[in-house]
Amino acid sequence: MTARAAATVVLAAFALGGCDDQIKHLDQRTPFFNTMSWQPSVEAYEERARLPVPGTMPVDGERTYDLLAADTMLVSPISGTEADLARGAELYSQFCTVCHGVTGAGDGSVVGQNRIPDIPLLNIRGELTRGYTDGYIWGMIGNGRGLMPPYRRIPAMDRWYLVAYVRQLQAEAMAEEAAAADAAAAEAAAAEAAAADTAGAEIPGTGGGQ
């Protein structure tokens, strides 16, 4: 590099540095004169992400609900037709049987020793889950709870089909319980009648002297 070229580079550096200083001084004197070098920014992991303002809609247009909101605000928009239950059965087989089992009794393939523990909530046919509102079950599918992960990837309407199918499984369980109770009552009545017949057929003793 010639002496002339070196001098040109040095002069350019001084000129640019002075220009940058002038811009910075102007920015300090005039707050509305923003520059890229002085813009506010947040470094990664510097602070927690801000929550969206109330009423914000996600990019897919689906509003989110936590469990409490879903429990108290939502009502199933479907009536449980055969088509609804068929769609629910398809989704249940895809997402739910691995933990909750085919009939909803909580005996899925990943439940057992050294795997997911057998807890009451796995049995979605039982009285505990029957007491939940449709909105709560819908919200639990989307938000998860305890060992259950959230299934937000299941569209909102498909979650309602799942709720309808869960109600169908619960209805089947209640019918089975009622049939078992009737059978037990009939068996008890038959045993009682047999005992009465046996007692009536016995010959009374003649205890005591004359």
Side-chain angles (χ1 to χ4, degrees):
M1 179 182 293
T2 64
R4 183 176 181 180
T8 302
V9 171
V10 171
L11 289 174
F14 277 115
L16 291 175
C19 181
D20 186 58
D21 288 339
Q22 291 177 4
I23 292 176
K24 291 180 179 179
H25 290 317
L26 179 61
D27 181 42
Q28 293 171 358
R29 294 194 304 268
T30 313
F32 58 81
F33 189 83
N34 294 323
T35 65
M36 292 295 291
S37 60
W38 289 90
Q39 66 175 335
S41 61
V42 178
E43 298 295 333
Y45 307 111
E46 183 176 345
E47 64 179 35
R48 296 178 60 185
R50 296 179 181 178
L51 296 176
V53 298
T56 299
M57 294 294 291
V59 293
D60 60 2
E62 178 186 328
R63 180 178 174 182
T64 58
Y65 295 85
D66 59 22
L67 277 178
L68 179 60
D71 182 30
T72 57
M73 298 173 59
L74 299 183
V75 177
S76 177
I78 64 176
S79 57
T81 63
E82 290 186 7
D84 295 339
L85 295 176
R87 176 58 178 163
E90 178 184 0
L91 293 164
Y92 184 87
S93 176
Q94 180 179 357
F95 292 103
C96 310
T97 54
V98 65
C99 291
H100 296 288
V102 175
T103 64
D107 54 354
S109 59
V110 299
V111 179
Q113 187 175 7
N114 298 325
R115 291 177 288 182
I116 294 178
D118 185 7
I119 57 178
L121 277 177
L122 284 174
N123 181 7
I124 57 177
R125 296 159 48 106
E127 293 184 4
L128 180 62
T129 310
R130 293 176 199 169
Y132 293 148
T133 65
D134 289 348
Y136 188 90
I137 298 175
W138 183 92
M140 186 183 293
I141 296 171
N143 293 282
R145 177 182 172 185
L147 295 176
M148 179 175 172
Y151 284 88
R152 289 282 175 84
R153 63 183 181 274
I154 302 177
M157 185 55 68
D158 278 348
R159 287 178 231 158
W160 287 119
Y161 295 134
L162 275 172
V163 172
Y165 186 70
V166 167
R167 294 303 193 200
Q168 174 67 20
L169 293 177
Q170 292 172 349
E172 293 174 358
M174 288 188 287
E176 293 172 3
E177 292 171 3
D182 291 343
E187 184 178 353
E192 184 178 354
D197 291 342
T198 301
E202 291 179 353
I203 300 175
T206 58
Q210 294 183 351

